[in-house]
């Protein structure tokens, strides 16, 4: 068990392995979400994250306390910086399939899937969630940091299909018009039930399913059962003019608290989830990232997505490196930051891509890439932290058991 220093308890630092952020100032605050003034009033510590002014934490809780409260009860996160997109038309599914690895055509209506945009070398350009609203409408959520690239990828695909006489159109939602909040934790469903006209309306909304509801008196609110923490939870797409009203109603329900980017990052790492730009990027393929399951079975047969041949070859022949989980051994071992070198028998065999003290387990955890032959759980490795070597062990991910609200197996 690691002992929290006073510096970590008050959180003057960010989770290790987290992307660089800047404290917000008049000149560097970045684009504001519709909840910016609300965050400031509630004691949010604002930073510039990927060009957006967002709270890293709130004055009422440290990042660790917020993390643990999310695991135990539930928290509200402003994720309005994420890119929300609608692709519509009879050929919408085929169009989006042309740039990602998911089987959208055969996806049931109302369901969603994590997928990736890939380049011709098989590298991951971004990860995203595609929800099949209907046979002629898709709702897509992708990363804010890759907004311009993702807009270009999808717009180009739509233009290409339209030039072939296909029926497809695209709409990018602006954070000024449409907000997105994530509500995560084991008590989220019962808190949301207080704000629904039919309290049991979400009982059939299983993990990775999406629907439109009335919530807190606001109509046409899209609720998707997903998240970035490993807990049961939802992401709620709501008009920006009404997002503050909804957030206040969620707080007034009695149990939920506000949380910031700091807790969101440590929660996702415990859940074994990748952060684009750290754990996956354009030089890493889904197979190397231990995300081969994102390449749908039918798409492996059709082989009609960017980078299909290199990825299919890797699936058949294997890869040189693989993303793995790591747990530091020894009471005095420090956390391993992104970029820390991984060694075996005196030779460097990889590097850490994300790492932090795990509030839930009391251990220092990390993920990174090592040569393929060292990926087996239980393999002992050494991490070079500040010119000293510390023992670590390859471990299975997630580091904390997932608690998704999945449909019972028949």
């Amino acid at each position: 068990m690691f002992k929290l220093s006073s510096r970590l308890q008050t959180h003057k630092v960010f989770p290790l392995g987290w992307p660089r952020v800047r404290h917000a100032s008049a000149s560097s605050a970045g684009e504001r979400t519709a909840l910016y003034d609300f965050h400031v009033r509630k004691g949010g510590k604002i930073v510039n994250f990927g060009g957006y002014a967002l709270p890293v934490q709130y004055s009422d809780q440290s990042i660790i306390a917020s993390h643990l409260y999310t695991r135990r009860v539930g928290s509200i996160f402003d994720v309005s910086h994420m890119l929300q997109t609608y692709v519509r038309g009879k050929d919408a599914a085929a169009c989006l399939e042309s740039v990602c690895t998911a089987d959208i055509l055969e996806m049931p209506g109302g369901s969603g899937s994590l997928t990736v945009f890939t380049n011709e070398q098989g590298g991951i350009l971004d990860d995203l969630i595609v929800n099949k609203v209907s046979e002629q409408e898709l709702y897509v959520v992708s990363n804010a940091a890759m907004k311009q690239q993702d807009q270009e990828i999808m717009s180009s695909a739509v233009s290409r299909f339209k030039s072939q006489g296909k029926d497809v159109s695209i709409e990018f939602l602006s954070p000024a018009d449409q907000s997105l909040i994530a509500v995560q934790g084991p008590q989220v469903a019962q808190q949301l039930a207080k704000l629904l006209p039919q309290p049991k309306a979400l009982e059939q909304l299983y993990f990775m399913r999406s629907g439109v509801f009335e919530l807190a008196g606001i109509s046409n609110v899209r609720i998707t059962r997903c998240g970035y923490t490993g807990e049961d939870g939802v992401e709620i797409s709501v008009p920006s003019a009404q997002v503050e009203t909804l957030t206040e109603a969620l707080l007034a329900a009695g149990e939920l608290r506000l949380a910031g980017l700091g807790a969101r990052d440590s929660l996702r790492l415990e859940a074994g989830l990748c952060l684009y730009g750290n754990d996956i990027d354009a030089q890493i393929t889904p197979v190397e990232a231990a995300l081969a399951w994102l390449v749908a079975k039918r798409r492996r047969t059709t082989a009609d997505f960017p980078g299909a041949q290199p990825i299919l070859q890797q699936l058949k022949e294997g890869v040189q490196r693989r993303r793995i989980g790591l747990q530091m051994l020894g009471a005095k071992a420090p956390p391993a930051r992104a970029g820390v070198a991984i060694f075996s028998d005196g030779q460097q065999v990889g590097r850490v891509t994300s790492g932090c003290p795990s509030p839930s387990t009391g251990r220092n955890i990390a993920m990174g890439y090592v040569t393929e032959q060292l990926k087996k759980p239980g393999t002992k490795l050494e991490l070079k932290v500040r010119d000293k070597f510390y023992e670590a062990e390859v471990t299975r991910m997630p580091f904390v058991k997932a608690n998704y609200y999945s449909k019972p197996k028949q």
Side-chain angles (χ1 to χ4, degrees):
M1 299 284 285
F2 68 83
K3 183 177 180 181
L4 300 179
S5 69
S6 59
R7 192 164 184 240
L8 275 172
Q9 288 171 335
T10 55
H11 266 79
K12 303 295 185 185
V13 295
F14 300 113
L16 303 177
W18 207 53
R20 290 190 178 186
V21 296
R22 297 193 303 273
H23 293 283
S25 67
S27 61
S28 69
E31 185 177 343
R32 296 180 177 184
T33 69
L35 285 174
Y36 175 83
D37 291 335
F38 172 85
H39 295 315
V40 173
R41 290 199 310 272
K42 296 292 186 179
K45 183 177 182 179
I46 306 298
V47 298
N48 185 319
F49 179 78
Y52 287 83
L54 292 165
V56 68
Q57 69 180 103
Y58 291 84
S59 58
D60 65 331
Q61 293 187 101
S62 69
I63 292 176
I64 287 177
S66 183
H67 174 117
L68 294 173
Y69 192 81
T70 305
R71 290 265 184 254
R72 189 172 68 254
V73 182
S75 299
I76 305 166
F77 303 81
D78 182 7
V79 293
S80 301
H81 58 303
M82 304 288 280
L83 174 61
Q84 299 183 73
T85 305
Y86 278 96
V87 185
R88 301 184 176 95
K90 290 186 294 185
D91 298 301
C95 178
L96 201 59
E97 276 197 1
S98 72
V99 290
C100 75
T101 61
D103 184 353
I104 304 171
L105 286 169
E106 296 184 4
M107 189 185 297
S111 68
S113 176
L114 179 67
T115 187
V116 287
F117 291 137
T118 47
N119 59 28
E120 293 300 333
Q121 293 72 46
I124 299 171
L125 295 175
D126 199 9
D127 57 316
L128 59 147
I129 290 180
V130 179
N131 293 280
K132 193 172 188 177
V133 177
S134 69
E135 291 300 322
Q136 297 191 32
E137 185 173 32
L138 307 175
Y139 169 61
V140 182
V141 178
S142 55
N143 288 306
M146 307 307 294
K147 180 178 179 178
Q148 290 186 332
Q149 172 205 263
D150 292 354
Q151 287 178 324
E152 176 61 27
I153 288 172
M154 290 185 279
S155 292
S156 295
V158 168
S159 295
R160 185 172 68 253
F161 267 61
K162 291 179 82 169
S163 71
Q164 299 168 2
K166 305 289 187 179
D167 176 26
V168 61
S169 64
I170 193 164
E171 178 188 9
F172 297 114
L173 306 185
S174 165
D177 300 321
Q178 194 76 9
S179 293
L180 189 67
I181 56 174
V183 193
Q184 301 285 298
Q187 294 188 29
V188 163
Q190 67 186 66
Q191 296 301 302
L192 287 174
K194 299 176 183 179
L195 306 180
L196 291 161
Q198 296 178 321
K200 295 185 178 181
L202 297 185
E203 288 186 0
Q204 300 301 310
L205 191 75
Y206 297 109
F207 182 59
M208 295 305 293
R209 294 193 66 86
S210 183
V212 173
F213 301 83
E214 179 184 324
L215 185 65
I218 304 169
S219 59
N220 297 317
V221 174
R222 175 163 295 283
I223 300 178
T224 305
R225 201 89 178 228
C226 66
Y228 198 43
T229 65
E231 296 294 334
D232 181 24
V234 299
E235 291 186 354
I236 305 173
S237 181
V238 59
S240 293
Q242 296 168 300
V243 66
E244 185 173 328
T245 298
L246 175 57
T247 307
E248 289 283 20
L250 288 165
L251 291 172
E255 298 295 334
L256 302 174
R257 295 182 183 176
L258 298 171
L261 294 165
R264 189 167 183 257
D265 190 64
S266 55
L267 287 160
R268 71 91 192 168
L269 181 52
E270 285 187 348
L273 301 174
C274 295
L275 174 65
Y276 192 84
N278 274 43
D279 310 303
I280 50 176
D281 59 33
Q283 309 304 316
I284 296 170
T285 70
V287 184
E288 293 172 322
L291 296 172
W293 58 274
L294 294 181
V295 185
K297 184 178 180 179
R298 181 179 63 82
R299 305 304 306 283
R300 299 183 187 193
T301 300
T302 57
D304 54 358
F305 55 89
Q309 293 309 316
I311 289 173
L312 293 175
Q313 184 174 352
Q314 288 184 344
L315 287 170
K316 182 179 180 181
E317 300 177 3
V319 291
Q320 300 282 315
R321 60 179 175 174
R322 189 84 64 161
R323 181 174 65 96
I324 47 90
L326 289 164
Q327 180 174 284
M328 303 293 287
L329 302 177
K332 295 183 179 180
R337 299 174 182 270
V340 161
I342 304 172
F343 287 79
S344 177
D345 295 327
Q347 300 294 316
Q348 184 171 347
V349 293
R351 67 180 180 87
V352 170
T353 55
S354 288
C356 74
S358 163
S360 301
T361 68
R363 298 182 182 276
N364 292 322
I365 60 172
M367 67 171 71
Y369 287 81
V370 296
T371 52
E372 178 72 357
Q373 61 268 32
L374 297 173
K375 70 177 183 180
K376 185 178 179 180
T379 301
K380 298 294 192 298
L381 299 168
E382 288 188 315
L383 306 188
K384 190 177 183 181
V385 182
R386 294 188 291 276
D387 294 325
K388 291 185 178 181
F389 287 92
Y390 297 91
E391 193 174 19
E393 182 179 78
V394 177
T395 186
R396 297 184 189 279
M397 294 185 285
F399 299 97
V400 174
K401 182 179 178 292
N403 292 307
Y404 301 125
Y405 183 69
S406 300
K407 187 175 182 178
K409 294 182 179 179
Q410 304 259 327

